[in-house]
Amino acid sequence: MTSTVVLPAAACTAASWIGLVIRFYGRGRLSGTWRSRGCFALVIAATTGVTVLTSTVLLPHASQLPPVAVGLVAGSAVAPRQKAPSSGRAVTALLTFGISYLLGELSRRLANDRADWGEEMTRGLTDGYVLREFACAARDHMLARLGEPGFGVSAKALAKRRAEIETRCAEAVKAAEKSIKTDTDIEKSLRDTGRLATQQDRTQSRMKLGEARHYCQLMLHLAHDHGPRSNDHGLRSLRAGIAARAEPPAWRDVPQPRSGEPESSVR
C-alpha cells in the first residue's frame, strides 16, 4: 500500500507543486484568489490521481518500473519544457491526458485574476491628472522594492524588469497626458462657443481616459506578477490618497438625453 499508493502520490504532489511554481513564475499568483487556488489544486489532484491509477492498475501489468517513478514522471509533466523528446511521447500523452486542458484553464484564470486586480487598482482614478500621478507613484513604489541580485534573481533579470517598469510607466504617462489634452480642448471649445457638451465630446473623453487606464493597468501587471501580495496594501494606500484628489469634468458623466429631450445644461 505504501510503496504503490502513498509514495507515488507524495512524489507526484511534490513534483507537480514545484513544476507549477516554475512554470508560472512571473505570470501571475497561483494563490492569488480562491479560483486560482482551486485550479492549482485541481491540477495537482489530477496528476496525483493519474499516478495512483497508473501505479495500482496499469504498472503491475506493464513493466517493472518502480511505482514512485510514476509519480515523478506524472508530476514533472506540468513543468515547462522547450520541446518534448521524440521518444516516449505516447506514454507521456497517456499519463497526462486532460492535464494540458487543466493547465490552460489555470493559465487563463491567472490572466483573468491579474486583469481584475489591475482594474481594481485603477478604480477611482477618474481624470488624467490623477492617473499620471498614480502611474509615477506606482513606478517609484515598484522600483524601490526591486532589491538586489540574489538567490533566483540575477542582475540581468532585475535590469530588464527595471527597464520594463520605466517603459510601461512612460506609456501610461503619455496616455494620461492625451486624456488631459482631450478634456482641456473640449472645455476650451465649450467656453469659446458657449455650446453644451455633446455625446461625441463625452465619448471621446471617456475613450482617452479608458486608454490611459489601460496603460496604467499594464504597468501594474508587473507589480502583480513579480511583487508579493504584501505590497498590495502600499499600492492601495497610494491609489486611495491620489484618487481623493480626482476632479473629473462635470460634463463627462451627463447621461445621454432620450429621443426628443433637450441636452442637459451641465457643461
Side-chain angles (χ1 to χ4, degrees):
M1 178 69 175
T2 300
S3 62
T4 59
V5 177
V6 178
L7 288 179
C12 179
T13 300
S16 298
W17 190 292
I18 295 171
L20 287 172
V21 170
I22 295 173
R23 185 186 189 99
F24 291 103
Y25 174 75
R27 295 174 55 191
R29 297 173 179 174
L30 290 171
S31 59
T33 64
W34 68 268
R35 294 184 182 89
S36 60
R37 288 192 292 271
C39 288
F40 179 61
L42 191 58
V43 172
I44 293 178
T47 55
T48 303
V50 169
T51 296
V52 172
L53 178 65
T54 303
S55 62
T56 57
V57 178
L58 301 179
L59 190 60
H61 307 285
S63 75
Q64 299 300 317
L65 190 68
V68 70
V70 178
L72 294 174
V73 172
S76 64
V78 302
R81 52 176 57 87
Q82 296 296 325
K83 184 177 180 181
S86 58
S87 60
R89 285 184 177 177
V91 176
T92 303
L94 178 63
L95 287 174
T96 61
F97 178 74
I99 293 177
S100 60
Y101 171 79
L102 295 177
L103 289 172
E105 285 296 307
L106 178 57
S107 180
R108 285 186 287 273
R109 184 67 261 163
L110 293 179
N112 287 336
D113 288 347
R114 180 178 60 187
D116 292 343
W117 183 85
E119 291 171 1
E120 178 192 355
M121 293 303 299
T122 56
R123 191 172 296 132
L125 304 177
T126 53
D127 67 68
Y129 291 102
V130 296
L131 270 169
R132 182 176 61 184
E133 183 180 355
F134 179 67
C136 293
R139 175 201 59 196
D140 295 341
H141 178 91
M142 288 188 285
L143 290 177
R145 287 159 177 79
L146 278 183
E148 299 295 331
F151 179 75
V153 182
S154 65
K156 183 178 180 180
L158 286 176
K160 180 180 178 181
R161 199 177 303 171
R162 183 177 292 105
E164 194 170 10
I165 291 172
E166 294 283 6
T167 299
R168 293 198 185 184
C169 178
E171 293 172 347
V173 168
K174 183 178 180 181
E177 289 175 346
K178 287 182 179 179
S179 175
I180 293 170
K181 184 178 186 304
T182 297
D183 289 347
T184 301
D185 290 346
I186 292 174
E187 289 173 354
K188 183 177 184 301
S189 175
L190 297 181
R191 288 194 303 269
D192 292 347
T193 62
R195 66 180 179 86
L196 303 179
T198 64
Q199 188 62 27
Q200 182 178 358
D201 293 331
R202 299 174 192 128
T203 300
Q204 186 179 10
S205 175
R206 292 182 188 128
M207 287 175 61
K208 291 299 182 181
L209 180 66
E211 184 179 352
R213 273 206 189 110
H214 171 70
Y215 279 103
C216 189
Q217 289 164 12
L218 289 180
M219 184 190 69
L220 291 172
H221 287 179
L222 299 176
H224 183 272
D225 289 346
H226 300 288
R229 280 184 291 174
S230 58
N231 286 349
D232 292 359
H233 178 72
L235 283 171
R236 286 193 175 93
S237 296
L238 281 174
R239 187 271 314 273
I242 293 173
R245 298 192 289 274
E247 296 181 1
W251 48 263
R252 179 196 292 155
D253 296 320
V254 175
Q256 183 177 7
R258 297 179 181 179
S259 178
E261 292 183 355
E263 285 271 1
S264 171
S265 59
V266 178
R267 297 183 181 177

